[in-house]
Amino acid sequence: MTDGRDAVRGDGRDESEEERADRRWQELIQEIRVAQTGVQILFGFLLTVVFTPHFEGLPQTDKTLYIVTVVLASLATGALIGPVAFHRIVSGRHIKPQAVAWASRMTFVGIVLLLATLTAALFLVLRVAMHNAVVPYLVAGVLAWYLTCWFALPLWARARYTRQD
């Protein structure tokens, strides 16, 4: 028996497509808040580096790495703020399920760009601080940790615990 809401079943929830989109939107916004805050703080700090006296003395390789890092941070910021602008522009058009799907894609791209930004920033800082051949190995270890926490564990849990009904 239904109450006229086109209930969606199969995942243990009794919700319409619109209710599901609303719930997924709220979950996505909470996730974006975490990543967005981090990338904005990092981006802000990166923007100030070029104005320090030490910057001029950096070798061209480090300056290039810095520019790449700033561009990556800018792209990550755009991708993580994009869902909010997307939602605002399409709000009231009765396409929330599609908006959630697009916002989710932008968020994933933002997370990948944040991964690249953090890796590049760490590489730059450790190169300047250590002047040591061990830097790439340290960065590779941290990158492996990020990949494990952000992708490998969630994908493992998804494969392990997703029900096949």
Side-chain angles (χ1 to χ4, degrees):
M1 177 166 204
T2 67
D3 59 4
R5 296 183 307 149
D6 298 324
V8 177
R9 300 200 192 280
D11 67 350
R13 296 181 185 268
D14 182 19
E15 58 190 3
S16 70
E17 184 179 9
E18 297 302 318
E19 290 168 332
R20 175 176 284 198
D22 288 340
R23 176 181 53 80
R24 290 185 67 214
W25 178 256
Q26 291 304 316
E27 291 171 354
L28 185 62
I29 287 300
Q30 291 302 326
E31 294 165 3
I32 290 171
R33 283 187 179 123
V34 172
Q36 195 178 65
T37 301
V39 76
Q40 287 174 327
I41 291 169
L42 177 59
F43 188 36
F45 281 121
L46 284 170
L47 290 175
T48 65
V49 169
V50 74
F51 299 107
T52 64
H54 185 68
F55 184 79
E56 281 305 315
L58 289 177
Q60 187 56 47
T61 302
D62 290 338
K63 288 180 181 178
T64 301
L65 184 55
Y66 168 77
I67 290 166
V68 168
T69 304
V70 168
V71 170
L72 286 169
S74 182
L75 293 171
T77 300
L80 291 169
I81 292 174
V84 175
F86 192 97
H87 181 264
R88 186 54 25 226
I89 291 169
V90 303
S91 183
R93 302 290 177 177
H94 305 289
I95 60 168
K96 189 166 239 172
Q98 294 84 358
V100 169
W102 278 103
S104 181
R105 291 177 188 122
M106 280 189 274
T107 302
F108 186 79
V109 168
I111 289 169
V112 170
L113 288 166
L114 178 58
L115 173 70
T117 303
L118 289 169
T119 303
L122 181 62
F123 187 62
L124 176 61
V125 168
L126 291 180
R127 269 181 57 95
V128 172
M130 295 177 64
H131 305 288
N132 193 314
V134 80
V135 168
Y137 299 106
L138 289 172
V139 174
V142 172
L143 176 59
W145 177 248
Y146 288 156
L147 292 171
T148 299
C149 293
W150 295 4
F151 300 107
L153 288 174
L155 287 171
W156 172 81
R158 178 175 155 173
R160 171 76 170 87
Y161 297 110
T162 300
R163 291 184 297 170
Q164 302 298 326
D165 293 335

